[in-house]
Amino acid sequence: MCNVNCLSWGARNIMAQEIRGKRVLEVGSYDANGSLRPVINLLQPLEYVGVDVMPGPGVDRVVSVCDLTAEFGKDSFDLVVTTCTLEHVRDWKLAVSNLKNICKPEGTILFIVPSRWSYHGFPYDFWRYNREDVEYIFSDCTILILEEDKNAPSLVYAKIKKTANFIENNLSEYELYSVVMRRRVRQLEDKDLKSIYFHYLKLKDVVG
């Protein structure tokens, strides 16, 4: 998924030499409101694979972000793109690990996530990332660009290069802000998803 700001930022910050003749993976490729795919395809990648947890427009293979390495093997893609997807993944740490490991050494990751944004279930919505979160999460890589919209609703945009001698960070103790718990937590438990507040968020999202 990708809104207008996301499309504009991606188009400005993707270079032809990072795409032409390269293997590209888009994670969360279900095209509900826009996709960077047409922009990237103009730059003639060798291959473009879109994955999501459900079939639909823009989805070539149904694969969870948490299963990418098992599905494709480590160091498989030159460019990994994910836009407004990781907030919907309950185990965000495993998801991030897969994004890093599926990318080739010296490959590129485009990572866009919401920071100040209302609840939007697709079908769920769990997390919010600020600029400092993204900086810490990818401190085991080289962050080429890191930006955040000045006004809410806001996105954090990052262009990241995986290092040649990549050694993955241990994020097990890191706490991220959860819209379910309304505070930073290490992870979400099953009981947290049965809370009255979480059901209120889902109902509010459906009713509008």
Side-chain angles (χ1 to χ4, degrees):
M1 295 181 288
C2 200
N3 67 14
V4 172
N5 290 343
C6 166
L7 290 169
S8 175
W9 187 88
R12 292 195 312 270
N13 290 288
I14 297 173
M15 304 294 105
Q17 62 268 28
E18 295 166 335
I19 306 296
R20 189 167 294 115
K22 308 284 188 171
R23 297 189 75 208
V24 178
L25 178 71
E26 182 182 358
V27 180
S29 63
Y30 189 104
D31 189 353
N33 59 350
S35 170
L36 282 170
R37 188 172 195 152
V39 175
I40 292 173
N41 275 336
L42 286 174
L43 300 176
Q44 302 176 328
L46 174 66
E47 181 182 16
Y48 193 110
V49 181
V51 301
D52 212 310
V53 293
M54 64 181 75
V59 180
D60 301 303
R61 294 174 66 172
V62 176
V63 182
S64 166
V65 61
C66 295
D67 297 325
L68 291 176
T69 305
E71 183 74 17
F72 296 103
K74 293 182 68 173
D75 305 335
S76 295
F77 291 90
D78 301 282
L79 173 65
V80 178
V81 178
T82 183
T83 61
C84 299
T85 296
L86 268 284
E87 71 271 24
H88 302 290
V89 182
R90 178 176 168 182
D91 192 345
W92 69 267
K93 295 174 184 178
L94 181 58
V96 166
S97 178
N98 272 266
L99 292 177
K100 292 175 180 178
N101 282 289
I102 201 73
C103 185
K104 293 181 180 179
E106 301 190 311
T108 303
I109 300 171
L110 288 186
F111 185 82
I112 302 176
V113 283
S115 178
R116 293 163 292 164
W117 206 283
S118 59
Y119 181 90
H120 57 289
F122 197 73
Y124 303 110
D125 185 16
F126 301 116
W127 307 104
R128 292 296 177 269
Y129 301 74
N130 63 32
R131 182 185 174 117
E132 290 73 24
D133 291 322
V134 175
E135 186 173 31
Y136 184 87
I137 289 166
F138 288 98
S139 58
D140 48 6
C141 300
T142 301
I143 299 177
L144 303 175
I145 304 172
L146 180 58
E147 300 174 354
E148 182 174 352
D149 294 320
K150 293 181 180 178
N151 301 313
S154 64
L155 296 172
V156 176
Y157 311 83
K159 182 176 181 179
I160 299 147
K161 183 176 182 180
K162 183 176 174 179
T163 56
N165 56 345
F166 174 73
I167 300 175
E168 188 174 1
N169 278 348
N170 180 357
L171 298 175
S172 61
E173 300 300 309
Y174 193 77
E175 296 184 344
L176 192 64
Y177 184 84
S178 165
V179 295
V180 177
M181 303 301 290
R182 291 177 285 179
R183 59 184 172 85
R184 287 182 171 265
V185 296
R186 292 180 188 173
Q187 62 187 22
L188 288 172
E189 307 292 345
D190 289 344
K191 62 180 176 61
D192 299 328
L193 305 186
K194 298 175 183 177
S195 70
I196 293 174
Y197 181 68
F198 187 49
H199 285 287
Y200 161 75
L201 286 175
K202 292 191 291 180
L203 179 61
K204 183 180 177 183
D205 191 50
V206 171
V207 173

